[in-house]
Amino acid sequence: MNRTSVVGPMACVMGDMNLVRPLGLAGVSCAVVVPPGNPATYSRFVRAVLPWESFSKNLDGLADMLLRFGTVQQERPVLFFEEDSHLLFVSRYRERLGQAFRFILPEVPLVEKLVDKARFQILAERLSLPVPASRRIRPRPGSTPVSLDLRFPVVIKPLRRRSPWDQIAGSHKAIEVATEKAFRELWPRLANNEMDLLVQEMIPGPESRIESYHVYVDHRGEIAGEFTGRKIRTYPTSCGHSTALETTDAADVASLGRTLVQKLDLRGVAKFDFKRDPDGALHLLEVNPRFNLWHVLGARAGVNIPALVYADLTGQPRPLPAKAHPGVRWCTLPSDFIAARSTGISLLSWLPWIIRCETISHLNWDDPVLLRTAWHRGISNASKRLSHLVQSATRRAA
């Protein structure tokens, strides 16, 4: 597939430009389900906008809106989903949504087990997956710290990403705890939020030792596309969100990923996150059975997984098999500049790196969504100010 328009159904995307762009570059027209004003609204690849503020409220209403849209299309759209909340919504409403959309997902029980970290830990132990030792806890106000029976240091994570976690950890995905004493000191803060949490033995090393396997497994159980990658930087630097990534050609990551696909009997799209310890062994951290920001980088490197899924679900020929080029990079601004500075990288060192970076999130000469977003927001704000002035003048004249 190339940039010429594909004759076929629309793609309905619950996600941002990191998912819209690889589809658009494959010639697929998109509808987006995003909060009002999201930059994806202004992409040249987007033909329809379905505004929706929250994926945690009124899911019946969301399903109704999607069905109204899907049923009036000439052909059933293909549904794509980027976040855990999107994934759970599509999985739990799959029978209703299947009346108007095409999509591919693992079976319901597997989705629930992969998204919930405690249930995933049980599954991983049953299947002998290479996960770090973990324990589930639920601190309550007034309770005393539990005995973990784990080796410190440990990391503490929410079972699912929810807003109460931000009150505990801010922008960190997890909290690193070096000693049992530090864990006991942290306990009251954990107890105030009454969240189910997972405590996991920490694999030594920086975030740049986190590597990943990305795969699309078709309905027959065959691997239709795959690539590997690693994190370069995150912000915050520990347990933070990715700001810079690159593709790799790590044979052991790909081999272990294929083995785990078979053990899980997985269908659909997934990302396997591993951390490489100082001895070189790979430890499985999580499995995310959904689309994600890596797909725009994979497409730039030669393996466009969303385009493969679209072709299969619409009965079109797949793009020719390809191996992803290693060393293709992605970053997001200005977060990566902040991440680089926090690790001691100077502006003079970072600038040449960013100039050579192949993919910068939301910054593309052929689809300048940020410029269009700023323009439309400026016009909207000016219109509101003008309306306010007219109303004030009218009231004074009266």
Side-chain angles (χ1 to χ4, degrees):
M1 290 185 181
N2 51 42
R3 297 189 188 192
T4 59
S5 181
V6 169
V7 177
M10 191 177 289
C12 187
V13 176
M14 292 185 285
D16 60 19
M17 285 303 302
N18 292 309
L19 186 48
V20 169
R21 184 165 176 79
L23 288 164
L25 292 178
V28 179
S29 296
C30 297
V32 290
V33 186
V34 291
N38 185 284
T41 300
Y42 306 107
S43 169
R44 70 183 181 92
F45 302 125
V46 171
R47 300 291 177 267
V49 177
L50 305 176
W52 195 259
E53 189 66 47
S54 173
F55 287 86
S56 61
K57 300 176 182 178
N58 191 18
L59 296 183
D60 286 334
L62 175 58
D64 291 340
M65 181 187 72
L66 285 172
L67 287 170
R68 285 194 299 271
F69 172 79
T71 52
V72 300
Q73 305 304 307
Q74 291 185 344
E75 299 181 81
R76 283 192 304 156
V78 182
L79 193 57
F80 294 85
F81 35 89
E82 191 172 2
E83 299 179 3
D84 282 350
S85 57
H86 308 159
L87 166 68
L88 290 172
F89 164 70
V90 176
S91 180
R92 293 169 180 176
Y93 284 75
R94 64 177 68 199
E95 291 188 10
R96 286 186 64 193
L97 294 173
Q99 300 170 23
F101 293 91
R102 316 169 204 223
F103 49 86
I104 185 169
L105 275 171
E107 296 296 323
V108 173
L110 182 57
V111 169
E112 297 290 337
K113 290 173 184 176
L114 294 179
V115 172
D116 186 289
K117 288 181 171 58
R119 297 179 68 180
F120 171 64
Q121 189 70 23
I122 295 171
L123 175 68
E125 292 173 359
R126 180 170 64 81
L127 296 179
S128 299
L129 307 185
V131 296
S134 302
R135 179 170 174 187
R136 178 175 177 168
I137 62 172
R138 183 177 176 82
R140 298 177 183 276
S143 63
T144 57
V146 298
S147 176
L148 293 175
D149 193 27
L150 296 172
R151 290 178 298 178
F152 284 86
V154 298
V155 292
I156 302 175
K157 312 174 184 179
L159 298 190
R160 294 180 183 168
R161 294 175 186 173
R162 295 189 296 139
S163 55
W165 176 250
D166 298 338
Q167 300 172 19
I168 302 173
S171 57
H172 293 262
K173 291 183 180 180
I175 299 175
E176 294 183 2
V177 183
T179 64
E180 184 172 356
K181 178 184 177 183
F183 173 69
R184 291 181 175 277
E185 292 173 350
L186 179 64
W187 184 267
R189 183 149 60 99
L190 300 177
N192 285 339
N193 288 273
E194 293 191 75
M195 288 184 67
D196 287 312
L197 303 169
L198 191 75
V199 185
Q200 188 175 71
E201 292 184 0
M202 189 172 76
I203 306 302
E207 300 287 279
S208 58
R209 296 188 69 87
I210 294 179
E211 304 184 48
S212 51
Y213 173 69
H214 306 262
V215 65
Y216 162 47
V217 186
D218 65 20
H219 285 292
R220 298 185 298 273
E222 298 176 0
I223 293 177
E226 63 179 359
F227 65 93
T228 60
R230 76 172 186 94
K231 293 190 178 187
I232 298 175
R233 285 183 290 274
T234 66
Y235 189 79
T237 55
S238 173
C239 302
H241 297 269
S242 299
T243 65
L245 310 167
E246 71 173 346
T247 55
T248 64
D249 56 358
D252 59 342
V253 173
S255 177
L256 180 55
R258 295 182 197 120
T259 298
L260 299 182
V261 164
Q262 292 182 342
K263 283 194 172 187
L264 292 169
D265 194 23
L266 184 74
R267 298 292 185 276
V269 172
K271 175 171 72 81
F272 293 77
D273 277 341
F274 304 99
K275 189 167 185 181
R276 195 181 293 274
D277 69 22
D279 296 326
L282 293 167
H283 302 263
L284 178 63
L285 302 180
E286 61 183 6
V287 182
N288 294 311
R290 53 176 169 78
F291 300 90
N292 55 74
L293 63 84
W294 275 91
H295 291 306
V296 69
L297 176 56
R300 180 67 176 80
V303 177
N304 192 332
I305 284 180
L308 288 166
V309 173
Y310 178 90
D312 275 3
L313 293 181
T314 58
Q316 300 184 19
R318 284 179 184 170
L320 295 175
K323 179 177 174 61
H325 302 291
V328 179
R329 294 158 299 183
W330 169 97
C331 77
T332 182
L333 299 177
S335 303
D336 190 54
F337 173 66
I338 299 171
R341 295 294 294 128
S342 67
T343 58
I345 298 174
S346 69
L347 176 62
L348 291 179
S349 297
W350 178 79
L351 277 176
W353 186 93
I354 201 72
I355 291 170
R356 295 192 301 270
C357 189
E358 291 82 0
T359 306
I360 300 177
S361 184
H362 294 80
L363 288 179
N364 301 283
W365 66 267
D366 60 339
D367 191 23
V369 293
L370 290 185
L371 290 177
R372 293 193 187 116
T373 302
W375 170 259
H376 283 278
R377 288 178 179 173
I379 293 295
S380 176
N381 290 337
S383 176
K384 289 177 181 177
R385 287 196 295 269
L386 179 59
S387 176
H388 177 72
L389 290 173
V390 170
Q391 290 175 7
S392 298
T394 301
R395 285 195 297 268
R396 287 196 298 270

